[in-house]
């Protein structure tokens, strides 16, 4: 096994898979990367392995993995086709929902509660901001990266009734410039200015969670498991003071939530496919996940299996107020909210750049119109 820093990992993995050398039999991947690695034939379809009773234990119970996760790692490679179609290209190992973590001690001191609508959330975050005291309302990502779009932004974007693309006749049309999307974007950028970190355009998740743990940020809108370590005694000044909340519901009361999943996949060029499948099957199985939860060896990702979350994992949540309730509120509507397409990383990074441009003063409607035009061209040129 080789461990590679995340900053270098996908570049190295891309080179390895493209070479066809088969030096690595199995690898860790995020679901979005399937949209890049799958179409060239670099990934083994695991659906036949799941169906192979000679290679898969009778009690493996693939259906025990949350449905949104199973579908997030299956696709037929046709732009606009829903996830869950086609092959099963990876098995989810750990995942994150994107919700609010907040400083409960400060909220209790002030006698306030988390906000249930986006407008109230903006007002709450603004009221909590005091620049003279180096305290601000909410941290969320703002750097020039696709990863700025997928956690809090895409979650609220979806809850407010927006979509990234529409599909008709096999052609995708970008919709991040719809009236609802423009309104949501204006509010998001205004929130960043009024109640976000001063250096918002450089912020990635470690910056956000560090500010929460230090007591500088009163809330974070990001992955539940990214904020989890900040509440462990000895990890941060605010450890023991934090709690979790689903975040603002949409106008219709929905809690649709975007996810990230780390998953295990097989190199199509592997020369030891049975061994690779047995490893993947073991690592994503009930026993291994339960042991990892009990011994703290799985980092802080949520377990992907219903039985493990409801069993061993729940027993660890006594000192994490609201974590379980938040998870149970959002899990049924947690799945990937992006339309799958092969130019995901380029077009989504372009989206993050557009947010930065609007933050710098460009007109939201004009800038999003330009983004939508460029994105529509990009996704249809390669689909």
């Amino acid at each position: 096994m080789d461990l590679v820093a995340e900053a270098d990992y996908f570049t190295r993995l891309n080179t390895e898979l493209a070479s066809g050398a088969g030096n690595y039999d199995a690898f860790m991947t995020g679901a979005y990367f399937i949209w890049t690695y799958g179409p060239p034939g670099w990934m083994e379809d695991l659906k036949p392995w799941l169906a192979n009773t000679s290679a898969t234990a009778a009690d493996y119970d693939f259906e025990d993995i949350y449905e949104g996760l199973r579908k997030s790692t299956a696709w037929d490679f046709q732009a606009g086709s829903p996830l869950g179609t086609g092959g099963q290209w990876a098995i989810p190992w750990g995942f994150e929902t994107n919700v609010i973590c907040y400083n409960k001690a400060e909220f209790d001191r002030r006698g306030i509660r988390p906000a249930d609508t986006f407008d109230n959330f903006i007002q709450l975050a603004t009221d909590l901001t005091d620049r003279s005291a180096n305290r601000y309302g909410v941290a969320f990502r703002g750097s020039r990266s696709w990863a700025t779009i997928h956690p809090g932004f895409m979650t609220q974007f979806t809850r407010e009734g927006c979509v990234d693309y529409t599909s008709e006749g096999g052609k995708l049309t970008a919709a991040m410039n719809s009236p609802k999307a423009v309104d949501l974007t204006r509010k998001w950028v205004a929130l960043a200015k009024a109640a976000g970190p001063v250096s918002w355009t450089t912020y990635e998740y470690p910056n956000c969670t560090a500010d929460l743990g230090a007591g500088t940020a009163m809330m974070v809108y990001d992955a539940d498991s990214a904020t989890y370590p900040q509440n462990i005694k000895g990890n941060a000044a605010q450890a023991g003071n934090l709690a979790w909340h689903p975040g603002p519901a949409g106008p219709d009361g929905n809690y649709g939530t975007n996810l990230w999943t780390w998953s295990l996949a097989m190199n199509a060029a592997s020369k030891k496919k049975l061994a690779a499948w047995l490893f993947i099957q073991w690592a994503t199985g009930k026993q291994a996940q339960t042991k990892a939860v009990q011994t703290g060896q799985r980092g802080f990702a949520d377990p992907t299996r219903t039985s493990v979350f409801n069993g061993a994992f729940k027993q660890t949540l006594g000192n994490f107020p609201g974590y379980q309730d938040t998870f149970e509120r959002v899990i049924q509507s947690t799945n990937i909210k992006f339309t799958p397409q092969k130019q995901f990383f380029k077009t989504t990074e372009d989206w993050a750049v557009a947010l930065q441009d609007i933050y710098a003063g460009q007109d939201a409607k004009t800038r999003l119109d330009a983004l939508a035009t460029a994105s529509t061209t990009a996704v249809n040129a390669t689909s």
Side-chain angles (χ1 to χ4, degrees):
M1 178 175 65
D2 282 345
L3 302 179
V4 181
E6 187 173 356
D8 304 318
Y9 178 76
F10 289 108
T11 299
R12 178 168 167 181
L13 178 61
N14 188 85
T15 301
E16 161 63 24
L17 294 176
S19 74
N23 295 316
Y24 295 92
D25 302 292
F27 59 93
M28 189 75 82
T29 187
Y32 306 138
F33 289 87
I34 293 171
W35 308 350
T36 298
Y37 300 150
W42 298 345
M43 304 178 77
E44 179 84 0
D45 183 2
L46 301 179
K47 188 176 286 186
W49 289 98
L50 286 163
N52 185 341
T53 56
S54 297
T56 302
D59 62 353
Y60 177 67
D61 193 7
F62 185 55
E63 302 296 311
D64 184 46
I65 296 173
Y66 289 105
E67 181 181 19
L69 298 173
R70 299 196 310 268
K71 288 185 174 181
S72 76
T73 44
W75 188 39
D76 65 5
F77 304 146
Q78 300 301 308
S81 286
L83 294 173
T85 57
Q88 186 69 48
W89 303 105
I91 307 296
W93 175 87
F95 81 112
E96 305 164 345
T97 68
N98 291 292
V99 294
I100 299 295
C101 183
Y102 65 100
N103 191 315
K104 185 176 184 297
E106 184 66 15
F107 275 50
D108 289 348
R109 186 183 72 79
R110 296 180 179 222
I112 56 178
R113 297 180 299 176
D116 286 325
T117 70
F118 191 48
D119 286 342
N120 288 343
F121 179 75
I122 293 171
Q123 187 61 58
L124 172 62
T126 303
D127 291 344
L128 287 167
T129 300
D130 184 349
R131 301 295 187 189
S132 66
N134 191 31
R135 184 181 69 242
Y136 66 95
V138 59
F140 49 89
R141 306 186 208 192
S143 70
R144 183 182 177 129
S145 167
W146 63 269
T148 283
I149 303 299
H150 94 86
F153 180 83
M154 194 61 184
T155 293
Q156 202 60 43
F157 184 85
T158 302
R159 291 181 183 182
E160 298 299 312
C162 307
V163 296
D164 56 351
Y165 295 89
T166 59
S167 178
E168 184 175 355
K171 179 180 179 181
L172 296 182
T173 301
M176 61 279 292
N177 63 334
S178 70
K180 285 184 179 180
V182 172
D183 183 59
L184 179 279
T185 303
R186 284 179 176 142
K187 289 180 177 180
W188 192 262
V189 170
L191 175 63
K193 288 185 175 182
V198 173
S199 303
W200 178 66
T201 56
T202 68
Y203 260 54
E204 299 179 351
Y205 84 86
N207 309 105
C208 299
T209 57
D211 282 1
L212 177 75
T216 303
M218 294 295 98
M219 298 181 286
V220 163
Y221 201 165
D222 207 289
D224 56 358
S225 56
T227 52
Y228 185 102
Q230 300 298 321
N231 207 45
I232 296 175
K233 185 177 180 180
N235 280 4
Q238 295 301 314
N241 291 337
L242 306 180
W244 284 261
H245 181 265
D252 60 356
N254 88 84
Y255 284 101
T257 303
N258 196 44
L259 68 79
W260 169 266
T261 176
W262 284 111
S263 302
L264 285 165
M266 189 191 303
N267 188 345
S270 168
K271 301 174 183 64
K272 301 176 182 178
K273 291 185 178 180
L274 176 58
W277 170 242
L278 293 175
F279 166 73
I280 293 170
Q281 182 182 170
W282 164 78
T284 60
K286 295 177 183 178
Q287 290 183 333
Q289 286 209 9
T290 297
K291 183 177 180 180
V293 166
Q294 292 171 336
T295 57
Q297 294 179 355
R298 62 174 295 103
F300 299 101
D302 295 325
T304 59
R305 289 183 168 273
T306 305
S307 61
V308 178
F309 189 96
N310 290 335
F313 192 64
K314 277 187 178 180
Q315 298 172 18
T316 71
L317 296 176
N319 296 320
F320 293 80
Y323 197 100
Q324 179 181 328
D325 291 343
T326 292
F327 183 92
E328 292 175 346
R329 173 71 66 87
V330 305
I331 187 57
Q332 295 305 318
S333 54
T334 294
N335 48 47
I336 289 179
K337 302 302 184 184
F338 292 100
T339 301
Q341 45 90 7
K342 300 168 191 175
Q343 286 294 305
F344 171 81
F345 293 105
K346 178 188 186 308
T347 55
T348 312
E349 181 176 310
D350 289 346
W351 199 348
V353 172
L355 291 188
Q356 289 193 351
D357 290 343
I358 296 165
Y359 183 84
Q362 291 189 25
D363 176 70
K365 179 66 166 61
T366 302
R367 184 63 181 85
L368 291 174
D369 282 345
L371 172 68
T373 298
S375 297
T376 296
T377 299
V379 298
N380 290 299
T382 59
S383 61

